[in-house]
Amino acid sequence: MSTFPTMQPNQNAQLIATVGRSPRQLAWRRFRANKIAIPALVASLSFVLVAIFAPVIARIINVDPNARDGSAITDRGQTIGRFGGMSWDHPLGVEPGIGYDLLARLMYGTRISFLVAVISTLATVALGLLIGMVSGYYRGRVDAIFGRFTDFLLAFPSFFMIIALSAPMIQRIERSGVARDNGARILYLIIILVLFGWPYFSRIIRSQVLSLRERDYVIAARALGASNRRIILKELLPNLWTPVIVYVSLSLPGYLAAEAVFSYLGIGVQPPSATWGLIIADSTKYILSEPTYFFIPAVSLILVVLSFNLLGDAIRDALDPKSES
Amino acid sequence: MARVKKSTSIAIVAVVALAVLVAGLAKMSGLGSSNKNTITYLTHSEIWTHADPNRNYTGQHIAWFGSYMHRTLTAYARAEGAAGSAVVADLATDTGRSSNGNKTWEFTLRDGATFEDGSAITCADVKYGVSRTFATDVITDGPTYAIGMLDIPSAADGSSVYKGPYATAKNDVAAYDKAVTCSEDNKTITFNLKRAVGDFNYTTTYLSFSPVPKAADDGDAYDMHPVSSGPYKIEKYKAKDEMVLVRNENWDQASDPIRKAHPDRIVVRFGMAEEVRDQLVLNDSDKNSMSLDAILPTNLPTIFDDAGSTKPEFAGRALNVYDPYVNYQAVNVKKLSCLDVRKAIFYAKDFAALIKLSGGAAFGGDQADGVIKPLMGLDYAKVTGLDEYKPSGNPEAAKKYMDAAKKSCPDVYARVTDPKRGITFDTTISDTAKKAAGIWIDAMKKNAGIVAKFNFLEPGAYYSVVLDATKQGDLSAGGWAPDWANASTVIPELFTEGGGFPLSQNWGDAAYKAFKQKSDAALVEPDRIKQGKMWAELNQYAIDQMWVIPGVFSKTQEVWGSGLGGVYFWESQGAPSFGDIFIK
Amino acid sequence: MRENFSLASTFLVPESFNREWRRNRLFLYISRRLSISLLMLLIVSFAVYVIFAFLPFDPAALTCGKNCNDPGIIEANRHRLGYDLPFFTQYFLFLKGIFFGRTFGEGAALISCPAPSLGYSFQQHACVTNLIGEALPVTLSLAVGALFMWLALGVGLGILAARFRGGLTDRLSTVFVLVGTSLPTFLTGLLLLVFVVIKWKFIPFPEGNYVPFLENPFQWIQILFLPWLTLAFAYAALYTRFVRSSVIETSNEDYIRTARAKGLTESVILGKHTLRAALAPIVTMAGLDFAGLLGGAILTESVFNLPGLGRLAIKAVTDIDLPIIVATTLLAAFIVITMNLIVDILYAFIDPRVRVA
């Protein structure tokens, strides 16, 4: 009897508890194990929540993005009090020269930034998926044509063209009656970001599809006589969710930063609406005289982009453990 | 382990070395060898808007180039205060002789006036210079008084039959030769005008009447290498880099009683970052330097106290004065055809908040009551009927007028209060404009219920939009200064069809005919005092009709290095008298 | 056409025959890529011209400043600048100008821009080619310096991080990568300016404007140092991440283990084997990033006030100076297409597998 190794209770439990886990659950476990993943997730989610519930939060804290508080600035436009006029009325201070509450404007600014970023991302993904799948699956002529088109778009100095084309294109949109003022500007930004964004993603999808189409289940489906459309939608698409998720999590911060950059340069949403880029652009004039007014939006932007990047990295690690140590 | 230390230590050494190198190099570089007798001007602009005398229009350019490079027939006296608005002779021997009821003007050129290559300045050169103004497709942006005043017929489309010295086809050169004639000895020039102009010798202070040697003229490119008739000539002019002026040895002080040539060298540094430009002058890094641009509002508190006076540490190095400009919002009277609405806009405006953007009233200026500034003296009379004005806006008055508008012009009322339409406001893109937009939109909505929308335009596109009646919005930001000390360069320019800057498009108005008649009468009125009263009356009328929303009687601030003396504000040009600046 | 030349098949063919075949294949490949690039350039130039020719503002009205309330002037300008010609004629004249030079106006006001003429800017009173010629060296200096810095920083850090996986260096590099990819360049530039120059005064205000290297190398470095750092910070992050993962992946390959077993030191392994494998993609990335930078580092040039292509382009947009806008866009596209071509050809030399039909 004593020659048999006695089974300890936890070993026993472990034996019983060994159960198969789906890839999704494995990924989630790896995600949870990653120390920065959860904080990043929480931070990103809270930014999104702030964007959605900005008006509610503003009413609770009692700040208004359009209210000019003349009493918070001197006759010369400087903020009164330390740290850019921070007080209970103005938790993050006020904008010099005009007296807007900074916290309210930052909160409302996230709405526009996220609107642009989310719609652009979704559209880029949709377009990239479509063209990438078609290119990769059908190959041949179709692939060649789309490939040339992709190269062509990638050759354009997109950043500069976005700036150069903004004024006339926005005029065109307004004239066509589809949208006006800031609506037209947001529409322009989204269209142009998507236009220059999908080639890159479609290439990723295409290379994935190229390898996927040689898999057994696809060959089997084809042998069974399934139509091409069915194969694309039912066999390929569900297996593409990995690159899609990774791309979404990384392109969101990219588009957020892009929106800030374009507002900074004067394209995109115009005052008196508030976006982070506009606030940062204005604050660069006050770097020396009102440093708080510069640092708060700058740091906020960095935090948002950082948390989404961290989240994207964590997701990528969780889904594909071989890619990192 | 040893290898690790090696690679890391190499890296550390490299970084430290680089840092030391850069920090040490900093000492070696810096402002170039600054000649003791050089005045340096600093500007954010990459290039002079124009160095071509026929294309110079702004007061600062005329003051600068007029002091150093370009002579004209007559000029303003270099003096402070009102004395600086007097006309004195420059290239001419006197301030001009008029005859034929002020329709013919004659100037005799001095002896000894030469270009930088030593050749004498003759009547032909002045005549050629004036002719360039007519090539309006090439010589752009300059004042077009010559075209409006000289006795040359107009073609069917309203343009002059003389098209300037470059055009070969359909060009009536003979007409020009008749209007501007030179005497046999090539020393006396005669101008035949199509109407009486009592102050034509004020018009000739413009650099557009400067002599230009025909052989050196190459049209648009002349802007980069104009020939000098003054104390200095261009040694180097490179955009985004610098312009260097050196002494013109062929300039004869005896022939030029009004100019002095103090420094040996003048340098203009272009393309400076705004903060760097301000810091250089504020820190007195180069004692002989001066900024050509407006001071950044964030730097004003360093120089001036809250009341607008210069702080002791900047005594003698800064000034804060009224400039000749009046800013206003021009109203497109055709589109905004309702007087009650226009009045409501004025009373709803939040001036106090707007002026804070410029650093406060001590630096931005005061609420204007019209388009003529008090410092114009004879032409100014306080405008009455604006008693309901309050600096932060007067909601009651505004609402009163809006209620009246509901009855008197229901269509316009409906449009301006409709969130989908509202009024459009044209302005150039700038950080201040963006903030001002917020204030305007808020004030209009709260105080008058008017929906305001802003149309931000690139500076390059601004004029092509606001001068086009079909594209212009309801309100356009405008600013104007009198071209010389007579409101004859304000009222007709702004409010008559064919004026230089008629943003108000007001000639469809019922009372316009009477207005035009009075304005024409004032133009030819010989009694200056009576004329002044007439202008004041017309100003009152324009404001009664709210053809513009009165804006700001603006102020300007200048700052310069401690090594410079003789700096004063030359009111007639709205800029310092650069030629009088010397190194202490 | 499918890839029928696998690596194995090249070994099956006799040596001499193989070399000549390879050379012919290479030649064919290069000429194909070259012709495609030229065609692409032509199409892009046409597209750019179309876009800017059919915009809803009148190019002639933009040339006359404050005098623009006179339709006669606008018409005269339209004629003088050739905007009244049919569209294709305009495009053809534009192309012709690139090869033969172009003139505008008449009489004494004749403006002549020698080949390669990209137009004349009336706001800056100069031939566009000259303006670009002055701005290009600045952007070139910026791009080349930044390239060296980010390669040194990125590759170096990546190697160190891979070498000491899990250690402090590795964690720091991760932080570096994250912050680098999260900060937009204009913020990095501004923060560097605020802290390094204004607050801590490590580097004094660059009081001078840009000077070419040959004129005053010290001032050149002083002026460009912070912009280099700004760009390097942003770009290096991507390379660090890539090099690190690439080195780690290659380290696990069999042939590396063999080399280690043979007794080769880590640094030799690093230098000879692992880096070589990563070389091709690094070259590709660097080439494309460099080309993109040359097209106009708009943000960095704005923040640091450098008179390069980016500043030129932005000013043209503000002034609505059409000839410059069209020219800078074309130039940027040209650089990207050329760089793509060069990278593809280099790739073909490095990796014979690439030579597909």
Side-chain angles (χ1 to χ4, degrees):
Chain A
M1 285 292 174
S2 52
T3 51
F4 273 105
T6 43
M7 290 231 255
Q8 302 302 316
N10 49 353
Q11 272 179 324
N12 205 6
Q14 245 180 355
L15 273 175
I16 298 172
T18 305
V19 118
R21 283 195 160 70
S22 74
R24 214 163 288 183
Q25 283 171 310
L26 283 171
W28 175 242
R29 286 187 102 208
R30 275 199 296 270
F31 185 82
R32 270 215 326 251
N34 188 344
K35 273 187 250 172
I36 3 169
I38 298 292
L41 182 64
V42 168
S44 307
L45 271 181
S46 36
F47 279 116
V48 174
L49 286 174
V50 166
I52 299 176
F53 292 110
V56 175
I57 303 177
R59 209 170 306 156
I60 296 177
I61 312 182
N62 198 22
V63 291
D64 184 350
N66 291 320
R68 293 177 284 119
D69 188 355
S71 64
I73 49 174
T74 67
D75 279 339
R76 301 179 74 161
Q78 298 157 303
T79 57
I80 300 175
R82 300 195 62 200
F83 293 124
M86 271 194 212
S87 65
W88 285 116
D89 283 335
H90 301 290
L92 288 182
V94 294
E95 284 191 24
I98 197 167
Y100 286 132
D101 179 81
L102 191 57
L103 175 62
R105 285 180 84 76
L106 283 178
M107 284 200 301
Y108 274 76
T110 54
R111 310 191 90 199
I112 298 178
S113 309
F114 272 102
L115 185 71
V116 172
V118 167
I119 297 184
S120 305
T121 309
L122 289 178
T124 315
V125 164
L127 203 54
L129 266 180
L130 180 67
I131 296 184
M133 285 196 297
V134 166
S135 280
Y137 185 72
Y138 288 109
R139 299 193 303 183
R141 252 258 174 89
V142 169
D143 185 20
I145 295 177
F146 275 127
R148 289 290 152 251
F149 195 50
T150 312
D151 286 343
F152 174 68
L153 276 178
L154 286 173
F156 267 92
S158 55
F159 186 64
F160 176 57
M161 296 225 54
I162 296 177
I163 299 172
L165 287 176
S166 68
M169 281 292 125
I170 291 172
Q171 259 186 50
R172 273 250 157 84
I173 294 177
E174 285 183 340
R175 223 173 270 184
S176 71
V178 173
R180 291 217 48 116
D181 304 322
N182 276 336
R185 309 196 118 84
I186 292 178
L187 190 62
Y188 166 76
L189 209 51
I190 292 176
I191 291 178
I192 207 101
L193 283 175
V194 171
L195 178 67
F196 288 114
W198 71 258
Y200 177 64
F201 184 56
S202 79
R203 277 207 172 155
I204 298 177
I205 295 293
R206 176 181 171 276
S207 52
Q208 274 283 78
V209 168
L210 275 179
S211 66
L212 276 180
R213 80 196 288 281
E214 309 299 334
R215 294 276 174 89
D216 296 339
Y217 53 89
V218 172
I219 297 176
R222 234 184 300 163
L224 282 174
S227 71
N228 280 334
R229 217 181 98 210
R230 194 198 159 83
I231 294 178
I232 291 180
L233 288 176
K234 286 269 161 93
E235 309 293 343
L236 294 175
L237 188 54
N239 290 301
L240 287 172
W241 64 276
T242 314
V244 167
I245 296 243
V246 173
Y247 180 76
V248 164
S249 65
L250 289 177
S251 87
L252 256 183
Y255 282 136
L256 279 175
E259 196 281 324
V261 167
F262 287 120
S263 295
Y264 176 78
L265 287 174
I267 321 295
V269 178
Q270 295 288 15
S273 294
T275 71
W276 290 28
L278 279 175
I279 299 177
I280 294 178
D282 188 46
S283 72
T284 55
K285 289 198 331 243
Y286 297 94
I287 289 185
L288 290 178
S289 50
E290 308 261 3
T292 322
Y293 178 48
F294 170 67
F295 279 111
I296 291 186
V299 169
S300 312
L301 181 65
I302 297 173
L303 282 179
V304 174
V305 177
L306 196 62
S307 28
F308 273 97
N309 269 335
L310 283 172
L311 183 64
D313 273 359
I315 292 180
R316 193 150 37 96
D317 286 352
L319 288 174
D320 184 11
K322 279 203 295 280
S323 67
E324 278 297 301
S325 62
Chain B
M1 261 311 151
R3 238 166 257 125
V4 171
K5 281 212 181 109
K6 194 170 158 199
S7 56
T8 348
S9 55
I10 291 178
I12 295 176
V13 166
V15 169
V16 168
L18 193 60
V20 166
L21 179 75
V22 170
L25 293 180
K27 294 240 179 70
M28 299 182 73
S29 69
L31 292 176
S33 57
S34 42
N35 193 339
K36 272 234 164 70
N37 223 355
T38 305
I39 297 183
T40 309
Y41 293 100
L42 311 171
T43 176
H44 175 62
S45 312
E46 298 188 347
I47 193 178
W48 283 111
T49 321
H50 293 295
D52 182 333
N54 292 108
R55 302 171 82 172
N56 264 318
Y57 206 157
T58 68
Q60 188 195 52
H61 287 51
I62 296 176
W64 203 90
F65 284 100
S67 297
Y68 294 135
M69 278 186 65
H70 300 312
R71 301 183 63 176
T72 55
L73 292 172
T74 55
Y76 286 113
R78 272 85 166 130
E80 274 191 78
S85 302
V87 168
V88 297
D90 184 359
L91 275 178
T93 50
D94 56 30
T95 55
R97 302 171 293 278
S98 72
S99 56
N100 197 5
N102 280 341
K103 279 169 85 166
T104 306
W105 283 82
E106 212 181 74
F107 300 86
T108 306
L109 298 174
R110 278 179 207 271
D111 289 326
T114 59
F115 287 117
E116 62 184 66
D117 62 355
S119 55
I121 298 176
T122 64
C123 169
D125 296 316
V126 179
K127 180 171 173 178
Y128 183 75
V130 178
S131 77
R132 295 172 83 235
T133 311
F134 285 83
T136 49
D137 54 343
V138 178
I139 306 300
T140 55
D141 291 338
T144 51
Y145 287 110
I147 305 179
M149 290 179 177
L150 286 176
D151 188 13
I152 297 173
S154 309
D157 62 5
S159 63
S160 174
V161 297
Y162 177 55
K163 306 282 184 213
Y166 314 119
T168 44
K170 284 208 223 144
N171 197 359
D172 194 349
V173 185
Y176 181 68
D177 281 334
K178 250 177 65 183
V180 182
T181 57
C182 282
S183 61
E184 287 233 356
D185 60 358
N186 218 353
K187 293 205 83 172
T188 304
I189 187 167
T190 311
F191 295 97
N192 297 305
L193 310 175
K194 60 166 76 134
R195 61 175 165 89
V197 180
D199 46 15
F200 185 68
N201 48 359
Y202 278 77
T203 319
T204 52
T205 60
Y206 270 103
L207 298 183
S208 50
F209 289 85
S210 284
V212 173
K214 180 170 176 171
D217 180 18
D218 49 357
D220 180 76
Y222 189 67
D223 218 358
M224 298 302 290
H225 44 253
V227 172
S228 167
S229 46
Y232 298 91
K233 60 179 181 182
I234 297 178
E235 182 188 72
K236 170 185 178 190
Y237 180 22
K238 192 148 175 280
K240 295 183 231 181
D241 187 6
E242 60 180 8
M243 173 192 241
V244 178
L245 297 185
V246 294
R247 285 194 191 276
N248 174 10
E249 308 87 21
N250 284 314
W251 173 74
D252 182 11
Q253 171 85 74
S255 76
D256 193 345
I258 63 170
R259 286 182 187 76
K260 309 184 187 72
H262 292 301
D264 290 326
R265 237 169 135 249
I266 295 156
V267 173
V268 182
R269 291 175 58 192
F270 296 110
M272 309 218 69
E274 292 177 293
E275 193 59 59
V276 177
R277 170 205 69 206
D278 279 359
Q279 290 301 327
L280 279 180
V281 182
L282 292 181
N283 296 337
D284 217 8
S285 315
D286 179 3
K287 294 197 186 328
N288 302 336
S289 66
M290 180 173 188
S291 167
L292 285 176
D293 307 328
I295 306 173
L296 282 174
T298 47
N299 287 326
L300 288 175
T302 323
I303 311 171
F304 303 100
D305 60 25
D306 285 347
S309 325
T310 317
K311 284 188 177 160
E313 51 268 30
F314 282 92
R317 289 180 57 196
L319 49 79
N320 177 13
V321 292
Y322 284 99
D323 60 27
Y325 284 89
V326 179
N327 294 315
Y328 53 85
Q329 287 79 45
V331 184
N332 183 331
V333 177
K334 277 207 193 82
K335 282 193 179 164
L336 214 49
S337 51
C338 184
L339 177 59
D340 286 318
V341 171
R342 302 201 291 267
K343 285 192 174 164
I345 293 177
F346 175 64
Y347 290 110
K349 187 170 77 150
D350 188 350
F351 173 78
L354 285 169
I355 204 67
K356 274 190 198 177
L357 295 175
S358 316
F363 305 97
D366 312 318
Q367 170 68 50
D369 64 0
V371 296
I372 298 181
K373 232 164 160 168
L375 52 79
M376 286 207 70
L378 285 172
D379 301 323
Y380 176 76
K382 191 159 173 354
V383 174
T384 56
L386 299 175
D387 308 310
E388 291 160 301
Y389 164 77
K390 287 210 189 105
S392 303
N394 186 342
E396 291 88 33
K399 290 223 168 53
K400 177 180 84 179
Y401 286 108
M402 286 304 278
D403 288 336
K406 246 192 270 187
K407 297 197 206 81
S408 59
C409 28
D411 302 329
V412 181
Y413 176 85
R415 171 168 75 89
V416 303
T417 48
D418 182 357
K420 289 209 189 68
R421 292 178 290 166
I423 57 172
T424 28
F425 198 136
D426 296 327
T427 182
T428 47
I429 298 182
S430 75
D431 287 332
T432 328
K434 290 184 186 173
K435 288 189 152 164
I439 298 177
W440 271 94
I441 294 174
D442 192 36
M444 287 295 118
K445 194 92 216 316
K446 271 219 248 334
N447 296 339
I450 296 178
V451 176
K453 294 182 198 279
F454 269 74
N455 182 16
F456 293 102
L457 297 163
E458 299 285 359
Y462 188 66
Y463 288 117
S464 67
V465 169
V466 302
L467 287 172
D468 183 338
T470 55
K471 296 198 188 134
Q472 188 192 17
D474 296 292
L475 295 175
S476 347
W480 190 258
D483 289 336
W484 58 82
N486 190 329
S488 62
T489 56
V490 178
I491 303 284
E493 299 295 336
L494 298 182
F495 297 123
T496 60
E497 199 173 1
F501 204 54
L503 292 189
S504 298
Q505 318 271 358
N506 54 310
W507 38 93
D509 214 63
Y512 175 70
K513 204 155 160 231
F515 182 88
K516 179 91 174 33
Q517 274 175 344
K518 284 212 193 108
S519 171
D520 291 340
L523 268 176
V524 297
E525 172 61 54
D527 181 345
R528 184 69 182 93
I529 299 183
K530 194 155 164 233
Q531 190 189 40
K533 290 212 182 68
M534 293 169 84
W535 292 130
E537 232 182 79
L538 289 165
N539 184 32
Q540 173 78 48
Y541 183 79
I543 302 304
D544 285 337
Q545 300 301 315
M546 281 286 166
W547 284 342
V548 297
I549 309 286
V552 186
F553 286 148
S554 55
K555 296 178 87 167
T556 184
Q557 294 79 39
E558 309 269 355
V559 67
W560 56 91
S562 57
L564 296 179
V567 184
Y568 63 87
F569 194 72
W570 198 10
E571 276 172 24
S572 50
Q573 302 289 15
S577 173
F578 294 103
D580 286 327
I581 302 179
F582 58 87
I583 298 173
K584 285 196 257 193
Chain C
M1 211 149 124
R2 306 211 51 191
E3 176 187 12
N4 13 29
F5 282 102
S6 64
L7 201 54
S9 69
T10 55
F11 289 134
L12 293 173
V13 182
E15 255 307 300
S16 55
F17 188 43
N18 184 30
R19 199 172 293 153
E20 203 177 295
W21 203 328
R22 227 191 295 164
R23 227 179 290 145
N24 279 340
R25 299 280 301 155
L26 189 63
F27 179 68
L28 268 172
Y29 179 72
I30 291 180
S31 39
R32 269 194 88 237
R33 291 296 290 116
L34 193 63
S35 42
I36 291 179
S37 298
L38 281 174
L39 187 66
M40 188 92 64
L41 197 57
L42 201 64
I43 296 178
V44 170
S45 77
F46 187 69
V48 169
Y49 210 78
V50 165
I51 291 175
F52 286 112
F54 286 115
L55 294 177
F57 49 70
D58 185 358
L62 297 167
T63 58
C64 51
K66 286 202 279 277
N67 299 340
C68 263
N69 50 343
D70 183 348
I73 298 177
I74 299 180
E75 284 313 308
N77 276 357
R78 199 192 311 281
H79 178 71
R80 186 166 56 100
L81 297 171
Y83 288 127
D84 54 351
L85 297 167
F87 169 72
F88 276 102
T89 317
Q90 284 189 50
Y91 177 62
F92 176 68
L93 282 175
F94 173 72
L95 280 185
K96 192 166 146 225
I98 298 181
F99 294 106
F100 300 110
R102 196 163 170 196
T103 59
F104 304 91
E106 57 172 339
L110 186 77
I111 297 160
S112 137
C113 288
S117 158
L118 291 162
Y120 182 81
S121 161
F122 287 90
Q123 260 114 357
Q124 305 205 34
H125 316 297
C127 292
V128 177
T129 316
N130 288 350
L131 292 172
I132 290 185
E134 283 168 5
L136 191 58
V138 181
T139 308
L140 208 61
S141 309
L142 180 64
V144 169
L147 176 74
F148 278 122
M149 234 191 227
W150 91 56
L151 278 182
L153 194 59
V155 174
L157 205 55
I159 293 178
L160 282 177
R163 179 83 175 72
F164 303 107
R165 264 169 67 175
L168 184 64
T169 332
D170 191 15
R171 290 202 198 285
L172 281 180
S173 83
T174 320
V175 172
F176 172 69
V177 167
L178 280 169
V179 180
T181 47
S182 305
L183 274 178
T185 31
F186 73 98
L187 264 190
T188 324
L190 281 173
L191 286 170
L192 276 177
L193 202 57
V194 168
F195 281 113
V196 177
V197 177
I198 299 179
K199 279 212 141 149
W200 298 332
K201 298 196 171 56
F202 281 161
I203 302 177
F205 255 118
E207 293 179 347
N209 273 348
Y210 175 82
V211 292
F213 174 70
L214 294 171
E215 203 177 294
N216 184 346
F218 298 133
Q219 197 172 351
W220 183 76
I221 295 182
Q222 186 201 1
I223 288 174
L224 283 174
F225 186 68
L226 278 187
W228 282 339
L229 208 57
T230 309
L231 287 171
F233 193 61
Y235 281 91
L238 299 163
Y239 288 77
T240 308
R241 166 190 281 171
F242 176 75
V243 167
R244 180 181 176 279
S245 57
S246 164
V247 167
I248 289 176
E249 255 180 65
T250 339
S251 299
N252 292 330
E253 296 275 338
D254 290 340
Y255 70 96
I256 298 293
R257 246 187 277 156
T258 318
R260 240 180 251 143
K262 281 207 302 198
L264 290 176
T265 56
E266 280 300 321
S267 356
V268 172
I269 294 174
L270 218 53
K272 270 187 119 170
H273 298 287
T274 38
L275 268 189
R276 233 222 217 122
L279 188 65
I282 288 182
V283 163
T284 319
M285 282 167 69
L288 295 177
D289 284 338
F290 181 70
L293 207 55
L294 272 187
I298 296 175
L299 289 169
T300 318
E301 288 182 13
S302 298
V303 170
F304 290 101
N305 203 37
L306 296 168
L309 286 177
R311 263 264 301 274
L312 183 66
I314 287 291
K315 186 171 195 299
V317 172
T318 318
D319 292 343
I320 314 200
D321 196 342
L322 272 182
I324 299 186
I325 296 180
V326 172
T328 40
T329 313
L330 268 183
L331 183 68
F334 173 74
I335 292 174
V336 170
I337 292 176
T338 311
M339 207 37 105
N340 263 310
L341 182 64
I342 294 178
V343 163
D344 278 346
I345 293 179
L346 274 178
Y347 224 108
F349 274 110
I350 297 177
D351 189 351
R353 282 175 296 181
V354 168
R355 273 167 249 151
V356 288

